[in-house]
Amino acid sequence: MKFIHLSDLHIGKRVNEFSMIEDQKYILEQILHIIREEEPDGVILAGDLYDKPVPPTEAVSVLDAFLTKLADQKTAVFAVSGNHDSAERIAFGAKLMSSRGVYLSPVYSKTVEKIVLNDAHGEVNLYLLPFIKPAVVRRFFEEEDINTYQEAVQTAVAHMEIDREKRNLLVAHQFVTGALRCESEEISVGGLDQVDASVFQDFDYVALGHLHSPQHVGRKEVRYCGTPLKYSFSEAGQEKSVTVVELKEKGRVEIWTVPLKPLRDMRTIRGMYMEVTDRSFYQDTNTDDYIFATLTDEEDIPDGMQKLRTIYPNLMRLEYDNKRTRENRSIEGADAVEQKSELELFEEFFELQNNQPMSEEQRAYVKNMMEEIK
């Protein structure tokens, strides 16, 4: 049984005050094309469908059009609410939409929605677990000691009555210990929201949402597919994709990715003002991309942002890296440090020591090393 695993659409999101709605419409059409090519048995949406609990009208229209097209082409949809969503709003009309093959997670109320699917290898039990907090689960299990996210998810899973002889697939939206975060994700200080991957040991595949980088945690079958678009410059070096997972017979799962090409990429440029405005610097690139520029001139360029936007109309951020700014850097407080991933902290340390950012090759090497250590 084949599924397309998506998550964290964040429809309606704004990045540095730039609306991403046009980019989101474009990438969803590309995803629909991939779905038609792959012909999956279902599409998984692992939370954060919207960027806000009360999304703008245009965002609702975009998601409605996407789901309607999937329903029209007889592709089942299995979606859960994430921490950015309103669980009640996502659950609205769930019973009605299930008649069109669109299954939405209800608000958590002790039991977890289970959909039973069948193929040549037998049954697949698919569970829809919306984003949950300890207080939500504690309401239904007052006799149990539930104070952490680990205890909350562990309790919810323990009451699913999983048949281990059959293939089981979980759709969830939580932060699993050991995964790498990006700047665009909502951070819980001190790692209070972490859940150990061992909680999901009875599932053949765990379709996770919440983190924006594609990655697996612990084993390849516990996977974040990542966002379909880049939502922060910490993701500039990533290649976004959709994850395709195929459940063969019990114990055999195949996973691969299909790359996505955005309407506008998100990337960084660096150099002196005269360098980055020289035609030879940008003639072979798409100047409509979303840009984070770092100028190394010792003196600030008057109206630098506006001047650069004559070449790079979607310039999002402008910073300076020179003697003055390096001298003004101060050690950040403990709270600020706790909100950053190990990779982000290492990148900052590298840049301070070498007066230049890490290359993509260096970043990939350090990321792989960190994953191996964990």
Side-chain angles (χ1 to χ4, degrees):
M1 189 166 290
K2 185 195 285 189
F3 298 92
I4 297 285
H5 174 191
L6 303 167
S7 77
D8 298 87
L9 303 181
H10 286 280
I11 300 176
K13 188 174 184 66
R14 300 182 70 87
V15 179
N16 291 291
E17 300 308 314
F18 281 73
S19 170
M20 303 299 289
I21 203 77
E22 184 182 4
D23 304 79
Q24 291 168 336
K25 288 178 181 179
Y26 180 89
I27 211 69
L28 288 175
E29 284 298 325
Q30 194 173 135
I31 289 170
L32 285 167
H33 175 75
I34 292 171
I35 291 168
R36 287 190 287 269
E37 292 275 315
E38 292 287 342
E39 297 182 333
D41 297 286
V43 171
I44 291 168
L45 299 176
D48 281 357
L49 311 184
Y50 297 117
D51 192 54
K52 296 181 181 300
V54 183
T57 303
E58 189 174 18
V60 176
S61 298
V62 170
L63 181 61
D64 177 62
F66 181 61
L67 295 179
T68 300
K69 288 176 182 177
L70 289 173
D72 287 344
Q73 63 189 44
K74 310 298 183 186
T75 303
V77 178
F78 308 96
V80 302
S81 54
N83 59 303
H84 279 252
D85 300 311
S86 161
E88 292 79 8
R89 285 182 171 84
I90 296 299
F92 176 78
K95 291 183 179 179
L96 182 63
M97 283 192 275
S98 65
S99 64
R100 293 285 312 271
V102 178
Y103 299 91
L104 304 173
S105 63
V107 177
Y108 183 78
S109 59
K110 193 172 186 177
T111 58
V112 175
E113 181 81 0
K114 181 178 78 170
I115 299 102
V116 180
L117 307 170
N118 287 276
D119 67 1
H121 299 292
E123 288 186 3
V124 173
N125 295 323
L126 190 151
Y127 296 84
L128 298 178
L129 178 65
F131 175 72
I132 53 174
K133 296 181 178 181
V136 172
V137 181
R138 193 163 54 238
R139 285 169 45 205
F140 302 101
F141 301 98
E142 295 179 355
E143 70 284 0
E144 299 190 35
D145 190 23
I146 302 172
N147 298 301
T148 66
Y149 280 80
Q150 168 78 18
E151 291 163 349
V153 176
Q154 200 162 24
T155 300
V157 170
H159 287 81
M160 288 184 187
E161 299 180 356
I162 300 165
D163 185 345
R164 294 171 181 81
E165 298 299 315
K166 296 178 180 176
R167 292 168 296 165
N168 298 288
L169 189 156
L170 176 69
V171 184
H173 191 93
Q174 304 288 159
F175 174 41
V176 179
T177 307
L180 297 176
R181 285 179 149 154
C182 296
E183 290 177 359
S184 55
E185 297 150 5
E186 192 169 288
I187 301 296
S188 177
V189 176
L192 298 176
D193 55 351
Q194 295 187 15
V195 177
D196 193 83
S198 62
V199 172
F200 307 122
Q201 62 184 355
D202 292 331
F203 295 97
D204 296 84
Y205 184 77
V206 183
L208 291 168
H210 191 38
L211 300 190
H212 293 185
S213 301
Q215 59 190 295
H216 65 268
V217 190
R219 57 187 173 100
K220 67 181 179 67
E221 295 85 6
V222 180
R223 181 172 175 82
Y224 290 99
C225 61
T227 53
L229 290 171
K230 299 172 185 179
Y231 290 135
S232 75
F233 286 101
S234 64
E235 302 166 59
Q238 295 180 9
E239 180 181 61
K240 296 299 185 177
S241 61
V242 300
T243 294
V244 187
V245 55
E246 190 164 5
L247 276 65
K248 305 281 191 177
E249 66 273 15
K250 178 71 176 178
R252 186 177 164 213
V253 179
E254 294 183 3
I255 303 166
W256 66 96
T257 60
V258 180
L260 293 168
K261 184 173 177 57
L263 178 63
R264 305 175 187 87
D265 203 353
M266 185 175 285
R267 57 192 179 87
T268 59
I269 62 173
R270 179 186 178 87
M272 298 184 70
Y273 177 77
M274 294 303 293
E275 290 179 284
V276 301
T277 56
D278 188 276
R279 181 174 292 276
S280 62
F281 183 90
Y282 61 81
Q283 64 182 357
D284 295 326
T285 62
N286 183 4
T287 55
D288 283 335
D289 286 346
Y290 295 116
I291 300 294
F292 173 19
T294 301
L295 295 183
T296 56
D297 302 80
E298 286 301 326
E299 298 294 331
D300 289 4
I301 305 300
D303 297 321
M305 179 74 85
Q306 297 307 315
K307 288 179 179 177
L308 285 175
R309 278 182 174 162
T310 61
I311 298 172
Y312 307 102
N314 294 310
L315 176 67
M316 285 184 165
R317 285 171 59 186
L318 171 62
E319 291 185 0
Y320 286 87
D321 182 15
N322 51 36
K323 183 177 180 181
R324 172 181 56 81
T325 58
R326 289 193 293 275
E327 288 177 349
N328 289 339
R329 285 175 181 163
S330 58
I331 298 173
E332 294 176 297
D335 287 348
V337 171
E338 284 185 0
Q339 292 181 21
K340 295 182 179 179
S341 69
E342 293 94 336
L343 184 59
E344 289 168 340
L345 292 171
F346 190 91
E347 285 182 296
E348 291 179 359
F349 173 75
F350 181 95
E351 189 166 344
L352 282 171
Q353 293 295 309
N354 298 279
N355 194 27
Q356 64 180 17
M358 294 170 63
S359 68
E360 286 308 314
E361 184 179 2
Q362 290 168 328
R363 188 178 187 277
Y365 177 84
V366 173
K367 181 180 178 181
N368 289 335
M369 183 171 63
M370 287 178 173
E371 289 176 345
E372 288 176 9
I373 292 170
K374 288 183 177 181

